[in-house]
Every structure is written in C-alpha cells, then in structure tokens.
C-alpha cells in the first residue's frame, strides 16, 4: 500500500478511535449512573462538546489549511493558544460550578478543572493532520481510548456526575503526554505566536460562525431543555444520539477524506454522481442501524445505557429518521464544499436555526419525542435545500493538489 493509502487508513482509524472514545464515555457513564445522574453528566458533556467544536473550528480547521515550511511554528502556536484559551474558559466554568447548587454545580466545577487537558489532547489531532502524520494522532488517541475506558470502568456504580467527569478528564493525561512527545520533533526550534488568533479576520472566525449555526446551535438547544424544562430530557436525547455514534464515524470520515478525492473527479456531473451514491449508501446504513436498535431487546438495551434506556429507546424512530436524512445532507454539503465552498454558510445559518426552532417547538407541543422529531424534520429540510442548491451550480470542476510537508526536525 502507498504512503498516501496508509495515511488515509490511519486517519480513518484515528477518527474511529476518537468517536469510540466519545461513545464509550457516554455508555459507561449511563451504566454507572441513575437516570438523573446521567442527565447531569449529559449536560456537562454537551457543554464540553460545544467547546470542543468551537476549538476545532477556530484553531483546528484553520490549522489544517496551513502549508509550507512554517508548519512547525503554526502547530506550536495552535497548541499554545488552545492551552491558554481552555485554561481561561476552565476558570469560568469552575466559577459557574461554584454558583450552581447540588450535583450539577459539582459536575461543572469538575469540567472546569479538566477542560485544558481534554481540549489540548484533542487539539493535537489537528497538528498531526496538518503535518500529514495521522499515525501519530492514532497512537495518542488509541492510548486515550484505553485509559478512559479503564478509568471509568474502575468507578463504583452510582458514582456522581462530578466524579465521573474528573475520572474522564484526568484519564487524558497519558495520551496528552504521548501526543506532545510525538509532536516535539516537528516543533523543535520554532516559536509560538498567538497574535494571529486574536486579530480580526482570522480564518477561524468564519469557521466558528459556521459551526455555531451548523452544530453548536442544536447542542445548545438540547442543553437549554435541561435548563428550562427537565434535565431528564437531555439525558434521553443524548442517550439516543449515543447509540448512533458509529454513523458519526462514517459522516466525519466522509467530510475528512471526501474533498481531496472528489476534487479530482473532473467536474460537477461526476462529483454529484459520486456524492449522491454515497448519500444513498449512508442513508440506507442509517435506516438499517435504526431498525436494528429498535428491535434490540430491552435487556440488551439496559446493558448499554442502564436506566437511561427507557427514555432513549422511545426516541429511536425519530433519531433514526434524523440520521438517515443526515447521510443525504452530509453528502450534499460535501458536494458544495468541493464545488462552491461559499455556499455552505448561508445554508447552515438558515436551516440550523430552523432546526433549533423545530426542536424547541416540538418539545413545547409533544414533549421529548416532539423535540426529537423536530430535529429530524430540520435535518430533512437542510438536506433538501442543500441538494436543491447543488442542482443550481454551474458545471465547474475543482482541482486539488497535495503539497509536501516538512519532515520532523532532527
């Protein structure tokens, strides 16, 4: 297999390891917690997911677009900014945790304490991606997976959300240490410069807007249900979504490796044909996975999610429909990313905000099930609008060429 093929395999495996970590964290937390305890943990984990996405958009996505001989300095700067930013946000979260009463406050306090560790460890993935060294990211993320499973498995049944958050966060230390050691040859002798991240017009600012309306808005809406309605709604929605974690691996892999491949197909017709076929495959896989989960015996479901299974299983039809249409929507947005990159932001703004409105409106009218169906309807409308936008594109092609990356410093 060629070096490029090996790198692609390592990248897919790294994405799988990262996604498996997130899935197993939620599964283990659900099994160890009561329904109310998992609801507290879910609120904290949704908050972390939003912060992780913001860091990915502001720092990670802009970093992977960097090329040339300054990659070492850019990676050192990205690590420095992530460390400083996550420490500042961690202090704020700790203050919020001290102000909130009970177990919820303790859980947010714990998140504030461990946030710099988990964000910095995840951020190293984008450094290795920019450096075309995904095998190093895979090594660190595989260690992260092993450590977090061991740390959470060692916790007693009925452990509080705060304790589980601390165990999850501190288990990132070995992988963080390994990642920094593996990054060191690339950044040796370079200097960090955080000023570009603070300047107006930094590329990450555009990506943050797209993330905020495309992903963060729905996450915050789910979190808002726990603030204005009941935390159990967050636990049920989060539990149902956790069961579809393997599909997130497929969607993320399509977004990560699709553009370079599609850019070489030679034009709109070939690109659309390929993405439409991929979209149908992903939609079929999503529907099949939802059917398998729906037919899962309650005994096995409780083995997966504990007390949260009862609430999550009732949402499987809606969440399954959402993921089926998300397969189609992901491929439509992937098509636009290759052929007309500027067309995605407006779609994300309009239809992500619409999804939030449908989620909240569905909850107000029909409870948690209505919220889940609202998310499914929003995803379907976004997919429909994205494919309609694809049909309006002129017959143009996008060509992409890979550039060499500097070797590690001796």
């Amino acid at each position: 297999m060629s070096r490029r093929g090996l790198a692609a395999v390592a990248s897919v495996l790294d994405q799988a390891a990262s996604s498996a970590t997130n899935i197993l964290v939620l599964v283990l937390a659900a099994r160890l917690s009561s329904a109310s305890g998992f609801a507290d943990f879910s609120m904290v984990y949704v908050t972390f997911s939003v912060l992780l996405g913001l860091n990915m958009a502001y720092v990670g996505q802009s970093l992977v677009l960097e090329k040339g001989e300054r990659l070492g300095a850019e990676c050192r700067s990205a690590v420095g900014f992530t460390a400083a930013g996550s420490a500042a946000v961690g202090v704020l979260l700790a203050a919020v945790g001290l102000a909130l009463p009970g177990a919820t406050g303790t859980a947010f306090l714990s998140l504030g304490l461990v946030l710099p560790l988990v964000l910095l460890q995840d951020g190293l993935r984008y450094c290795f991606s920019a450096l075309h060294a995904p095998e190093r990211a895979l090594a660190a993320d595989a260690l992260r997976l092993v450590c977090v499973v061991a740390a959470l498995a060692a916790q007693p049944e009925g452990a509080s959300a705060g304790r589980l958050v601390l165990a999850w966060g501190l288990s990132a230390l070995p992988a963080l240490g390994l990642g920094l050691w593996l990054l060191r040859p690339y950044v040796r002798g370079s200097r960090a410069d955080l000023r570009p991240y603070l300047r107006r017009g930094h590329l990450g600012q555009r990506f943050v807007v797209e993330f905020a309306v495309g992903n963060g808005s729905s996450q915050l809406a789910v979190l808002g249900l726990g603030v204005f309605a009941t935390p159990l709604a967050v636990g049920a929605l989060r539990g149902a979504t956790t069961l579809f974690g393997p599909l997130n691996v497929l969607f993320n892999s399509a977004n990560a490796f699709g553009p370079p491949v599609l850019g070489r197909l030679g034009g709109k017709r070939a690109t659309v044909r390929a993405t439409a076929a991929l979209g149908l495959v992903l939609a079929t896989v999503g529907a099949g996975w939802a059917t398998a989960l729906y037919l899962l015996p309650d005994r096995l479901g409780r083995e997966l999610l504990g007390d949260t299974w009862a609430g999550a299983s009732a949402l499987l039809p809606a969440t399954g429909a959402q993921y089926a249409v998300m397969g189609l929507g992901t491929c439509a947005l992937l098509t636009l990313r290759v052929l007309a990159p500027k067309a995605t932001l407006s779609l994300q703004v309009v239809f992500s905000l619409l999804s939030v409105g449908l989620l909240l409106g569905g909850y107000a009218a029909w409870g948690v099930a209505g919220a889940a169906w609202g998310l499914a309807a929003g995803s379907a409308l976004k997919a429909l609008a994205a494919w309609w936008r694809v049909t309006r594109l002129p017959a143009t092609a996008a060509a992409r060429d890979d550039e060499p990356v500097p070797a590690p410093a001796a």
Side-chain angles (χ1 to χ4, degrees), residues 174-266:
L176 175 59
L178 176 62
L180 291 173
W181 180 72
L182 292 173
L183 182 65
R184 185 181 177 186
Y186 292 95
V187 301
R188 184 183 291 120
S190 60
R191 297 183 60 183
D193 183 8
L194 307 188
R195 291 173 297 178
Y197 288 98
L198 304 176
R199 291 174 185 155
R200 184 177 180 181
H202 172 61
L203 187 59
Q205 294 167 7
R206 176 184 177 88
F207 295 142
V208 161
V209 173
E210 189 162 339
F211 166 80
V213 298
N215 301 93
S217 56
S218 60
Q219 294 273 27
L220 289 173
V222 172
L223 186 62
L225 289 179
V227 175
F228 300 110
T230 167
L232 293 176
V234 179
L237 284 170
R238 194 66 178 176
T241 303
T242 299
L243 296 172
F244 288 85
L247 297 184
N248 289 328
V249 176
L250 296 178
F251 296 162
N252 291 334
S253 296
N255 283 319
F257 306 111
V261 174
L262 295 172
R264 300 189 184 98
L265 292 181

Side-chain angles (χ1 to χ4, degrees), residues 82 139 145 251 303 313:
T82 298
L145 174 59
F251 296 162
E303 286 292 322
S313 61

